[in-house]
Amino acid sequence: MRAAIGGFDGMHLGHQALIKRSDMLVVIEKGSNLTPGSDRCDYTNLPCKFFDLNDIKDLSPIEFIAILKELNITKIVVGKDFRFGKNRSGDLDLLNNHFEIDAIEEVKIDGIGVHSRIIREFIKNGEITKANRFLGHTYKIKGKQIKGQGLGGKELVPTININLLKNYLIPKQGVYITLTNKHPSLTFVGTRSTDGNFSIETHILTKNMELKIETDIFKIEFLEYLRENKKFNNLKDLKKQIRQDILKATQFFNI
Ligand SMILES: Cc1cc2nc3c(=O)[nH]c(=O)nc-3n(C[C@H](O)[C@H](O)[C@H](O)COP(=O)(O)O)c2cc1C
Ligand SMILES: Nc1ncnc2c1ncn2[C@@H]1O[C@H](COP(=O)(O)OP(=O)(O)OP(=O)(O)O)[C@@H](O)[C@H]1O
């Protein structure tokens, strides 16, 4: 059994290079927020064995190796920088005494190593297209619909207000071109001028609110950062701005 080992938060292009050469993933969960928990399984059909870092961080390298052997692992697929065990004291040479090793060269884009920590910085800065290039897929969050202020449908445009299912990294405040359950949409992320509360809300461009009955779980894929969150003193100006956003988004999708 060939096993790739690591955190795999994001399931980015570096991770994908390992996954292609493996039969299973050993996922060490250390507080992920790009593809938290089982979201990693959206990007692979390989079986995943999860370990919580807190449960294994005090194991010596030899104790960790014993656990891997119990999983019938014969070959380890990792990046060349891989270290493991208490205080990162185990390295590839030590692993090589027990398993075959497939050590992968660092995957880079534009000379920059692809790593979860770099992708998190892009997302926090609103650099969503860059994040998506490094991920090799779109950045996604999942949530359930919650009741909004009831203002959107009446005074502005109808929106689905989202309560996140997991501890996803929230992109920089602003307005994004998105897909919501694959439907072209615009998503607002930020503190609302109307009531000062933080919200994530989506306006579906092609369909109205029939989506509500299709499902109660919404998957929002971020495609492009459109603009910053702005403070509005009246609904008329906000509505005018939203109309411009919708125009840009319909051009983007060619709809
Ligand atoms: C495309 C779009 C852009 C938005 N831009 C802003 C904005 O720049 N500033 C802001 O305070 N609220 C913005 N909003 C959020 C509105 O304030 C929000 O939809 C309104 O308060 C209605 O909320 P409700 O759905 O809870 O009724 C935006 C909403 C959408 C759909
Ligand atoms: N760019 C990359 N190229 C090749 N291998 C990689 C790359 N990034 C990570 N790996 C390997 O993938 C496995 C999972 O690594 P890990 O989850 O620590 O990824 P990471 O993106 O480097 O995370 P972080 O940014 O949190 O350090 C490890 O074996 C690691 O060596």
Side-chain angles (χ1 to χ4, degrees), residues 105-158:
E105 283 294 336
E106 187 184 36
V107 174
K108 294 182 179 182
I109 294 184
D110 302 335
I112 303 170
V114 176
H115 294 287
S116 313
R117 56 187 179 275
I118 304 265
I119 296 169
R120 287 190 198 103
E121 290 310 308
F122 292 152
I123 294 171
K124 283 193 257 178
N125 293 333
E127 296 175 88
I128 209 73
T129 46
K130 227 165 166 184
N132 289 345
R133 266 179 73 214
F134 277 58
L135 284 168
H137 53 81
T138 51
Y139 181 58
K140 295 178 192 63
I141 59 176
K142 295 177 193 172
K144 285 200 166 190
Q145 179 166 22
I146 46 165
K147 210 169 151 41
Q149 302 167 100
L151 253 183
K154 270 190 252 148
E155 306 279 347
L156 298 160
V157 292

Side-chain angles (χ1 to χ4, degrees), residues 9 33 69 74 103 119 130 133 143 160 166 169 193 228 248:
D9 188 22
N33 59 8
K69 285 188 173 164
T74 51
I119 296 169
K130 227 165 166 184
R133 266 179 73 214
I160 298 162
K166 295 182 184 177
L169 179 65
S193 314
E228 301 216 328
K248 285 204 181 127

